[in-house]
């Protein structure tokens, strides 16, 4: 009974652990927590980690001597004549056992080791690139969800604010203060705002699905303030040469140079040592043999030289591609900084000019409607414009936040 009870306790403990894990995963995520969750759980990062681990493990064997070879055989076995088919009857027939060790030249082994080290560096740089992509995806999804929910809340507040105006429309028509057609204006305005709300709700669900993709949470939620909207262009430009994309090309350049060195090393001879023991009939005695095998690169013009030229062309190609990547990064950073400045100016204009003017207009139209100097349509139009101004402000703030996140995570320092 005791083992059964112990097993039940283990099962209960495991179930409680799984429940607490599920609860932890469903808790709202701050911006930094979402990025950390993406780094820890994204399959793409795990795959990049495994690739780097495989490269490090392979590097241990690079540049080593090949395994020795053991050889067994029978030599000079007669198949014709009076001694045909008889082992040991002839003094030349013997069973042999031997060992051979190949010795590639030192240049070939050094090139192989250098290529393996370059592969490790390339895998680690690719891991950094993958981590950037994962973090950027999670960050943009978090920002989209945060601002989609903010726009929903702002629109709901507007709907609650103008609900009394909608309710007063039939009364105004019944009293003769408004024309009968004015009773239809609130219906159209409400339908338009509800359509807009449906679009915002759909955008929030899309952002939630995208955040779930990067963090692994089935029902993710956001909490806390948005990330900082400030960036430092000077430090971003200064640190661009250490970008993981360019480091990957540095590793590729090292790999290409190792291939060139390996092709050059093929013009130098390799050799192998071999020793064997031959067992013959006792009346003839046993024998020992030793030898050296040397590879002779006599036709370099048709074999090694074309390969060397091909590897040099590959190295030059990597240099050209690295320069393309460097220019692309610089141009991308400058273009994104220009967009960020534009979106920031638009956001400030909405915040300091457009929204206060729309709020003032709505207040004035409401007061005029109460004093009988404005119609219901004027009030509805003012509140509709106020709703648009508030949503536009949040949309522009979201654009600034997306720019800041994209610039920081695309061009900034690598994550630890």
């Amino acid at each position: 009974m005791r083992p059964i009870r112990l097993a039940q306790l283990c099962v209960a403990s495991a179930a409680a652990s799984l429940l607490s894990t599920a609860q932890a995963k469903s808790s709202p995520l701050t911006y930094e927590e979402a990025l950390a969750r993406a780094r820890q759980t994204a399959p793409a990062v795990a795959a990049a980690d495994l690739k780097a681990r495989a490269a490090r493990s392979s590097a241990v064997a690079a540049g080593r001597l090949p395994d020795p070879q053991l050889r067994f055989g029978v030599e000079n076995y007669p198949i014709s004549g009076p001694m045909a088919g008889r082992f040991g009857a002839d003094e030349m027939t013997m069973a042999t056992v031997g060992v051979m060790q190949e010795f590639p030249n030192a240049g070939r082994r050094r090139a192989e080791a250098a290529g393996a080290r370059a592969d490790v560096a390339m895998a680690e740089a690719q891991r950094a690139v993958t981590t950037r992509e994962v973090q950027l995806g999670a960050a943009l999804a978090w920002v989209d969800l945060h601002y989609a929910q903010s726009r929903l809340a702002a629109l709901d507040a507007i709907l609650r604010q103008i609900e009394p105006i909608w309710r007063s429309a039939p009364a105004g028509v019944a009293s003769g203060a408004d024309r009968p057609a004015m009773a239809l204006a609130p219906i159209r305005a409400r339908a338009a705002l509800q359509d807009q709300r449906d679009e915002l709700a759909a955008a929030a669900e899309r952002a939630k699905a995208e955040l779930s993709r990067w963090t692994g949470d089935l029902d993710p939620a956001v909490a806390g303030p948005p990330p900082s909207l400030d960036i430092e262009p000077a430090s971003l430009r200064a640190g661009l040469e250490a970008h993981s994309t360019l480091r990957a090309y540095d590793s590729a350049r090292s790999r290409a140079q190792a291939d060139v060195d390996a092709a050059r090393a093929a013009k130098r001879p390799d050799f192998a040592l071999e020793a064997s023991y031959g067992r013959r009939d006792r009346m003839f005695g046993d024998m020992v043999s030793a030898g050296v095998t040397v590879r002779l690169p006599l036709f370099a013009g048709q074999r090694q030289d074309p390969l060397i030229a091909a590897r040099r062309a590959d190295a030059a190609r990597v240099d050209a591609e690295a320069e393309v990547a460097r220019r692309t990064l610089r141009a991308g950073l400058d273009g994104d900084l220009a967009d960020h400045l534009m979106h920031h100016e638009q956001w400030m204009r909405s915040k300091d000019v457009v929204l206060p003017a729309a709020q003032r207009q709505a207040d004035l139209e409401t007061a005029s409607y109460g004093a009988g100097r404005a119609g219901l349509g004027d009030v509805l139009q003012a509140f509709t414009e106020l709703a648009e101004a508030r949503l536009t402000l949040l949309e522009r703030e979201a654009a600034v936040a997306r720019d800041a996140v994209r610039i920081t995570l695309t061009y900034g320092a690598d994550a630890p």
Side-chain angles (χ1 to χ4, degrees):
M1 295 297 293
R2 186 171 299 172
I4 295 177
R5 182 176 299 175
L6 180 60
Q8 292 173 343
L9 291 175
C10 291
V11 171
S13 176
S17 177
L18 290 174
L19 179 60
S20 63
T21 302
Q23 291 174 347
K25 288 184 177 181
S26 62
S27 61
L29 296 173
T30 64
Y31 175 77
E32 294 297 336
E33 289 172 346
L35 267 60
R37 181 73 59 81
R39 289 194 301 268
Q40 295 167 2
T41 64
V45 175
D49 281 335
L50 292 173
K51 184 177 181 179
R53 187 185 307 173
R56 287 191 293 269
S57 181
S58 298
V60 176
R64 307 286 183 177
L65 288 176
D67 292 331
Q69 301 177 31
L70 187 62
R71 192 185 71 174
F72 297 94
V74 176
E75 295 185 5
N76 304 318
Y77 185 75
I79 59 173
S80 64
M83 298 181 185
R86 291 185 294 168
F87 181 80
D90 184 85
E91 63 176 340
M92 298 180 63
T93 303
M94 58 184 171
T96 61
V97 59
V99 63
M100 184 179 70
Q101 176 65 61
E102 295 180 348
F103 292 90
N105 66 72
R108 189 190 297 272
R109 294 168 58 191
R110 284 195 299 268
E112 183 181 352
R117 291 193 297 270
D119 289 341
V120 172
M122 190 182 306
E124 291 176 347
Q126 288 295 335
R127 180 193 180 279
V129 171
T130 301
T131 302
R132 280 182 184 273
E133 295 172 352
V134 167
Q135 288 191 129
L136 180 58
L140 292 177
W142 191 99
V143 168
D144 289 344
L145 181 57
H146 173 83
Y147 282 100
Q149 292 177 346
S150 298
R151 291 196 294 270
L152 271 175
L155 184 55
D156 287 340
I158 290 291
L159 291 173
R160 289 192 298 270
Q161 190 174 1
I162 61 179
E163 183 66 27
I165 300 176
W166 285 335
R167 289 199 301 266
S168 66
V173 173
S175 64
D178 296 321
R179 301 188 307 275
M182 294 302 299
L184 301 177
I187 297 175
R188 295 196 309 271
R190 174 180 287 183
L193 291 176
Q194 287 175 341
D195 287 345
Q196 195 167 8
R197 190 186 189 285
D198 291 340
E199 293 175 359
L200 292 176
E205 290 300 319
R206 287 195 301 270
K208 183 179 292 187
E210 190 70 8
L211 186 58
S212 176
R213 168 194 173 188
W214 295 110
T215 64
D217 288 354
L218 298 180
D219 188 22
V222 298
S228 174
L229 305 183
D230 298 327
I231 58 176
E232 299 179 1
S235 62
L236 290 171
R237 289 192 176 98
L240 209 57
E241 287 299 321
H243 196 275
S244 52
T245 299
L246 299 184
R247 288 195 292 109
Y249 275 104
D250 290 339
S251 303
R253 186 181 294 110
S254 299
R255 171 78 254 189
Q257 184 58 48
D259 292 339
V260 172
D261 294 340
R264 287 174 176 171
K267 298 183 71 172
R268 295 194 291 271
D270 300 327
F271 68 95
L273 299 179
E274 182 178 2
S276 61
Y277 174 80
R279 177 70 173 174
R280 300 194 298 175
D281 189 89
R282 292 183 179 180
M283 65 181 295
F284 302 119
D286 298 340
M287 303 180 71
V288 174
S289 301
V292 178
T293 302
V294 180
R295 185 181 61 85
L296 301 177
L298 298 178
F299 306 100
Q302 290 76 36
R303 295 179 59 84
Q304 285 79 22
D305 289 344
L307 293 178
I308 293 173
R311 299 292 81 80
R312 284 175 174 170
D314 285 338
R317 172 186 55 79
V318 171
D319 288 338
E321 291 177 351
E323 182 61 24
V324 170
R326 181 177 288 105
R327 294 184 182 184
T328 301
L329 279 175
R330 289 174 179 171
L333 176 58
D334 291 340
D336 288 344
L337 288 174
D339 286 342
H340 179 66
L341 179 60
M342 174 192 67
H343 291 151
H344 190 275
E345 292 299 324
Q346 292 176 343
W347 174 42
M348 289 293 98
R349 196 173 297 113
S350 289
K351 181 179 180 181
D352 299 335
V353 178
V354 178
L355 181 60
Q359 182 65 61
R360 179 62 176 164
Q361 180 180 359
D363 294 340
L364 291 175
E365 292 291 358
T366 302
S368 298
Y369 180 74
R373 295 194 300 271
L376 180 61
D378 299 325
V379 178
L380 286 175
Q381 180 65 27
F383 274 94
T384 300
E385 292 178 359
L386 176 60
E388 291 293 336
R390 288 181 179 176
L391 295 178
T392 300
L393 174 64
L394 288 172
E395 289 174 0
R396 291 183 173 181
E397 183 180 347
V400 174
R402 285 179 62 88
D403 288 342
V405 164
R406 182 168 49 252
I407 292 172
T408 301
L409 295 180
T410 301
Y411 307 102
D414 291 330

mmCIF file of all heavy atoms in Angstrom, residues 4 17 61 112 121 135 165 174 205 219 275 280 291 322 345 374 409:
data_model
loop_
_atom_site.group_PDB
_atom_site.id
_atom_site.type_symbol
_atom_site.label_atom_id
_atom_site.label_comp_id
_atom_site.label_asym_id
_atom_site.label_seq_id
_atom_site.Cartn_x
_atom_site.Cartn_y
_atom_site.Cartn_z
ATOM 1 N N ILE A 4 1.939 2.352 -3.491
ATOM 2 C CA ILE A 4 0.812 2.921 -4.220
ATOM 3 C C ILE A 4 0.553 4.348 -3.755
ATOM 4 O O ILE A 4 0.322 5.255 -4.558
ATOM 5 C CB ILE A 4 -0.438 2.040 -4.035
ATOM 6 C CG1 ILE A 4 -0.196 0.668 -4.676
ATOM 7 C CG2 ILE A 4 -1.655 2.707 -4.640
ATOM 8 C CD1 ILE A 4 -1.337 -0.289 -4.475
ATOM 9 N N SER A 17 2.199 20.671 -10.278
ATOM 10 C CA SER A 17 3.262 21.407 -10.977
ATOM 11 C C SER A 17 2.820 21.843 -12.354
ATOM 12 O O SER A 17 3.054 22.978 -12.776
ATOM 13 C CB SER A 17 4.518 20.530 -11.074
ATOM 14 O OG SER A 17 5.514 21.184 -11.801
ATOM 15 N N ALA A 61 36.949 17.118 -33.412
ATOM 16 C CA ALA A 61 37.584 16.118 -34.264
ATOM 17 C C ALA A 61 38.316 16.719 -35.455
ATOM 18 O O ALA A 61 39.059 16.004 -36.142
ATOM 19 C CB ALA A 61 36.538 15.125 -34.764
ATOM 20 N N GLU A 112 41.609 22.349 -41.995
ATOM 21 C CA GLU A 112 40.407 21.683 -41.501
ATOM 22 C C GLU A 112 40.011 22.199 -40.123
ATOM 23 O O GLU A 112 38.829 22.459 -39.848
ATOM 24 C CB GLU A 112 40.655 20.178 -41.448
ATOM 25 C CG GLU A 112 39.430 19.372 -41.004
ATOM 26 C CD GLU A 112 39.700 17.879 -40.941
ATOM 27 O OE1 GLU A 112 40.783 17.449 -41.393
ATOM 28 O OE2 GLU A 112 38.837 17.152 -40.423
ATOM 29 N N ALA A 121 31.866 29.659 -35.109
ATOM 30 C CA ALA A 121 31.564 31.093 -35.037
ATOM 31 C C ALA A 121 30.350 31.450 -35.885
ATOM 32 O O ALA A 121 29.518 32.272 -35.486
ATOM 33 C CB ALA A 121 32.788 31.901 -35.486
ATOM 34 N N GLN A 135 12.932 37.789 -31.009
ATOM 35 C CA GLN A 135 12.604 38.895 -30.116
ATOM 36 C C GLN A 135 11.816 39.979 -30.837
ATOM 37 O O GLN A 135 10.874 40.550 -30.267
ATOM 38 C CB GLN A 135 13.893 39.494 -29.545
ATOM 39 C CG GLN A 135 14.584 38.633 -28.518
ATOM 40 C CD GLN A 135 15.680 39.400 -27.806
ATOM 41 O OE1 GLN A 135 15.744 39.438 -26.588
ATOM 42 N NE2 GLN A 135 16.547 40.018 -28.557
ATOM 43 N N ILE A 165 -26.608 60.908 -26.142
ATOM 44 C CA ILE A 165 -27.025 61.651 -27.332
ATOM 45 C C ILE A 165 -27.848 60.752 -28.239
ATOM 46 O O ILE A 165 -28.866 61.172 -28.819
ATOM 47 C CB ILE A 165 -25.789 62.196 -28.063
ATOM 48 C CG1 ILE A 165 -25.009 63.130 -27.145
ATOM 49 C CG2 ILE A 165 -26.186 62.917 -29.345
ATOM 50 C CD1 ILE A 165 -23.730 63.638 -27.754
ATOM 51 N N ALA A 174 -39.569 63.794 -31.690
ATOM 52 C CA ALA A 174 -40.947 63.816 -31.198
ATOM 53 C C ALA A 174 -41.353 65.214 -30.739
ATOM 54 O O ALA A 174 -42.511 65.625 -30.904
ATOM 55 C CB ALA A 174 -41.094 62.815 -30.051
ATOM 56 N N GLU A 205 -7.133 40.277 -31.686
ATOM 57 C CA GLU A 205 -7.043 38.821 -31.736
ATOM 58 C C GLU A 205 -5.885 38.371 -32.621
ATOM 59 O O GLU A 205 -5.199 37.384 -32.313
ATOM 60 C CB GLU A 205 -8.365 38.233 -32.248
ATOM 61 C CG GLU A 205 -9.516 38.361 -31.269
ATOM 62 C CD GLU A 205 -9.225 37.656 -29.946
ATOM 63 O OE1 GLU A 205 -8.662 36.546 -29.980
ATOM 64 O OE2 GLU A 205 -9.546 38.238 -28.897
ATOM 65 N N ASP A 219 -3.065 31.612 -24.436
ATOM 66 C CA ASP A 219 -3.947 32.775 -24.327
ATOM 67 C C ASP A 219 -3.156 33.923 -23.712
ATOM 68 O O ASP A 219 -3.339 34.280 -22.547
ATOM 69 C CB ASP A 219 -5.169 32.436 -23.472
ATOM 70 C CG ASP A 219 -6.208 33.551 -23.481
ATOM 71 O OD1 ASP A 219 -6.200 34.361 -24.433
ATOM 72 O OD2 ASP A 219 -7.012 33.631 -22.528
ATOM 73 N N ALA A 275 52.849 -1.155 -41.883
ATOM 74 C CA ALA A 275 53.666 -2.279 -41.416
ATOM 75 C C ALA A 275 52.783 -3.515 -41.369
ATOM 76 O O ALA A 275 51.598 -3.433 -40.995
ATOM 77 C CB ALA A 275 54.256 -1.992 -40.040
ATOM 78 N N ARG A 280 54.008 -17.708 -42.566
ATOM 79 C CA ARG A 280 54.170 -18.759 -43.567
ATOM 80 C C ARG A 280 54.352 -20.108 -42.870
ATOM 81 O O ARG A 280 54.357 -20.204 -41.637
ATOM 82 C CB ARG A 280 55.388 -18.469 -44.448
ATOM 83 C CG ARG A 280 55.311 -17.158 -45.204
ATOM 84 C CD ARG A 280 56.349 -17.085 -46.300
ATOM 85 N NE ARG A 280 57.697 -17.143 -45.776
ATOM 86 C CZ ARG A 280 58.804 -17.190 -46.540
ATOM 87 N NH1 ARG A 280 58.668 -17.201 -47.859
ATOM 88 N NH2 ARG A 280 60.000 -17.226 -45.992
ATOM 89 N N GLY A 291 56.385 -0.077 -45.193
ATOM 90 C CA GLY A 291 56.404 0.742 -46.389
ATOM 91 C C GLY A 291 55.855 2.128 -46.150
ATOM 92 O O GLY A 291 55.215 2.406 -45.130
ATOM 93 N N ALA A 322 29.245 40.342 -47.992
ATOM 94 C CA ALA A 322 29.371 41.043 -46.715
ATOM 95 C C ALA A 322 29.229 42.545 -46.896
ATOM 96 O O ALA A 322 28.600 43.234 -46.079
ATOM 97 C CB ALA A 322 30.717 40.702 -46.068
ATOM 98 N N GLU A 345 6.839 63.037 -35.193
ATOM 99 C CA GLU A 345 6.278 64.366 -35.426
ATOM 100 C C GLU A 345 4.763 64.287 -35.613
ATOM 101 O O GLU A 345 4.018 65.141 -35.106
ATOM 102 C CB GLU A 345 6.940 64.994 -36.653
ATOM 103 C CG GLU A 345 8.411 65.342 -36.463
ATOM 104 C CD GLU A 345 8.631 66.359 -35.361
ATOM 105 O OE1 GLU A 345 7.774 67.266 -35.224
ATOM 106 O OE2 GLU A 345 9.635 66.255 -34.635
ATOM 107 N N ALA A 374 -27.468 74.355 -31.931
ATOM 108 C CA ALA A 374 -26.859 73.352 -32.817
ATOM 109 C C ALA A 374 -27.766 72.138 -32.865
ATOM 110 O O ALA A 374 -28.513 71.852 -31.919
ATOM 111 C CB ALA A 374 -25.470 72.959 -32.319
ATOM 112 N N LEU A 409 15.794 46.496 -31.760
ATOM 113 C CA LEU A 409 16.041 45.055 -31.826
ATOM 114 C C LEU A 409 16.700 44.630 -33.138
ATOM 115 O O LEU A 409 17.311 43.556 -33.195
ATOM 116 C CB LEU A 409 14.735 44.285 -31.627
ATOM 117 C CG LEU A 409 14.101 44.439 -30.246
ATOM 118 C CD1 LEU A 409 12.803 43.632 -30.170
ATOM 119 C CD2 LEU A 409 15.058 44.002 -29.145
#
